[in-house]
Amino acid sequence: MARILAIESSCDETAAAVMEDEIRVLSSVVASQFSVHGKYGGVVPELASREHLRAIVPVVREAMERAALTWKDLDAVAATSGPGLAGSLLVGLTYAKAIAFATGIPLIAVNHIEGHIHAVILESRQRGNPVEFPALALIVSGGHTHLFEALGDGVYRLLGRTRDDAAGEAFDKVAKLLGFGYPGGPVIDQLAPYGDPHAVRFTLAHMKGNTLDFSFSGLKTAVLRCVESRDLAAEIAGRKRLLKENSRPSVEDWLAATPQPTRDLLASFQRTVIEELLGHAASAAERNEGVRSLIVSGGVACNSGLRAAVTQASAGLPVFFPSAALSTDNAVMIAAAAFPKFRRGEFAKLEIAAEPNLALA
Ligand code: KG4
Ligand code: ZN
């Protein structure tokens, strides 16, 4: 039997989880900094590292208490070593190093993106319907938009990545522009069904070179131009007021503050992002004939429009999404990614540095 404590602190969530034997989650704790960054319309790196420093000890302690374990019950400690915000990564990785040093157990460094992939692999195994390899893996979050071929045993081939903004970042920037606060993905997701997704025709980016690369900055600029061409100042101010009075407005509150043309704009924006993502996944599936499944993970994988549209775009491949709890950042996914490394004896030296730009392939 092996038990691993994992820590995730790459962006704005401080998370710890304990897993046993690659399949059983003994505990999972996530402290979100939502309320800290919300008013800035995005993550402020300096505030994020300060909040991680505050949260790391209680979050790890709670994960250990909920798992009813002490340090001597652990076989390894894992932490995200990159990619992510330098100061944020440093907090979780340093704490994991301290635990490894003090207890003598090995340290395992995990790539955050590999964590998102393993969230899906774990849940598919828990359901008794495991992901089959090779698999396409579309990782879509606030920081990343990557398409990989996952060959199994920790081997990945990068097929495409964003050349500018990440998909989640585009959601967040459009939401901020329109006064919907941060994070923007969940709000746009909730309001999109109330708009006409074909009302505004945005053109999809045509990539020179690798056509499986993504680009979202053109779309973001197109939304900005659209907003500038309409007189939206009053309604945007209204939504900002709403957000000041109530940090988590309901769908009804948002709808009351969002006239139909803006609902249409949101729906059209979301449809375009989904088309860009799924179009690339479908092309990759056509080109890689041996591929047996499609994994979609990361915060944007929560998007209900994306989930609804994926089946027709998957070219018959079985599609695997994480549950909502494992879509956004968490430490269960880091523990799940750490187990194969534990089996292979892939341990990190205590001198290992955080790598904000760490690549998976
Ligand atoms: O994976 P994650 O928690 O953190 C990163 O690694 O970046 O992803 C957060 C991102 C944010 O940009 C957020 O707006 C987006 O995921 N997101 C969504 C939804 N829920 C979260 N985007 C679209 N639709 C959603 N339902
Ligand atoms: Zn993430």
Side-chain angles (χ1 to χ4, degrees):
M1 184 169 14
R3 295 191 190 105
I4 296 181
L5 163 70
I7 297 173
E8 154 64 36
S9 70
S10 66
C11 189
D12 59 343
E13 259 97 27
T14 318
V18 182
M19 273 186 68
E20 184 173 83
D21 286 342
E22 270 189 282
I23 190 106
R24 282 188 57 211
V25 177
L26 300 184
S27 64
S28 173
V29 180
V30 182
S32 175
Q33 302 176 4
F34 175 82
S35 55
V36 176
H37 304 287
K39 56 178 169 290
Y40 301 103
V43 178
V44 183
E46 290 78 4
L47 296 183
S49 24
R50 200 165 73 196
E51 289 307 307
H52 284 305
L53 275 174
R54 278 201 189 120
I56 190 79
V57 173
V59 163
V60 170
R61 186 182 297 145
E62 194 176 334
M64 291 296 286
E65 279 173 11
R66 284 198 207 165
L69 298 181
T70 62
W71 300 127
K72 66 177 179 3
D73 300 315
L74 296 175
D75 297 281
V77 56
T80 306
S81 61
L85 300 171
S88 295
L89 288 166
L90 195 62
V91 176
L93 186 60
T94 306
Y95 197 55
K97 285 180 186 181
I99 294 169
F101 180 70
T103 60
I105 57 176
L107 172 72
I108 300 173
V110 174
N111 181 304
H112 181 82
I113 300 175
E114 187 172 25
H116 278 299
I117 295 174
H118 271 272
V120 178
I121 296 173
L122 168 67
E123 291 189 317
S124 74
R125 293 177 67 227
Q126 287 172 333
R127 282 194 306 266
N129 171 29
V131 169
E132 292 190 16
F133 295 94
L136 287 177
L138 177 64
I139 309 307
V140 273
S141 71
H144 326 284
T145 304
H146 287 83
L147 186 59
F148 295 100
E149 185 182 11
L151 298 158
D153 290 326
V155 183
Y156 302 91
R157 193 160 70 88
L158 181 67
L159 302 177
R161 57 172 298 167
T162 182
R163 300 229 186 125
D164 39 61
D165 293 348
E169 198 178 350
F171 273 97
D172 295 335
K173 286 180 175 169
V174 164
K176 182 181 180 185
L177 176 70
L178 286 162
F180 287 102
Y182 172 86
V187 186
I188 296 180
D189 188 4
Q190 283 178 325
L191 298 186
Y194 297 92
D196 173 3
H198 298 282
V200 187
R201 297 230 157 251
F202 294 115
T203 44
L204 285 172
H206 288 290
M207 304 309 291
K208 293 208 178 93
N210 182 4
T211 54
L212 291 180
D213 276 350
F214 302 88
S215 169
F216 294 100
S217 74
L219 174 60
K220 179 191 64 190
T221 310
V223 174
L224 175 65
R225 297 276 167 273
C226 198
V227 171
E228 284 170 349
S229 71
R230 304 169 181 191
D231 187 13
L232 299 183
E235 73 168 81
I236 292 173
R239 285 190 288 269
K240 287 189 176 163
R241 248 192 331 271
L242 169 63
L243 209 51
K244 247 190 202 148
E245 288 156 12
N246 175 0
S247 66
R248 285 178 183 256
S250 66
V251 187
E252 289 70 31
D253 293 336
W254 281 129
L255 285 172
T258 308
Q260 194 61 44
T262 300
R263 298 180 195 180
D264 293 345
L265 179 61
L266 293 178
S268 303
F269 161 77
Q270 178 170 297
R271 176 186 60 86
T272 312
V273 174
I274 293 171
E275 271 179 24
E276 167 91 351
L277 294 174
L278 295 184
H280 285 42
S283 309
E286 273 166 30
R287 287 187 210 176
N288 295 268
E289 281 175 3
V291 157
R292 300 173 69 180
S293 8
L294 171 61
I295 292 170
V296 187
S297 192
V300 181
C302 287
N303 188 271
S304 24
L306 177 66
R307 286 182 183 233
V310 79
T311 332
Q312 70 211 63
S314 68
L317 292 177
V319 187
F320 295 85
F321 277 98
S323 62
L326 293 199
S327 292
T328 49
D329 290 349
N330 65 87
V332 171
M333 69 187 202
I334 303 304
F339 266 98
K341 296 184 198 300
F342 180 76
R343 251 192 294 110
R344 294 195 294 262
E346 275 176 38
F347 301 130
K349 294 208 169 75
L350 290 187
E351 298 78 44
I352 186 181
E355 284 190 68
N357 298 315
L358 183 64
L360 180 58

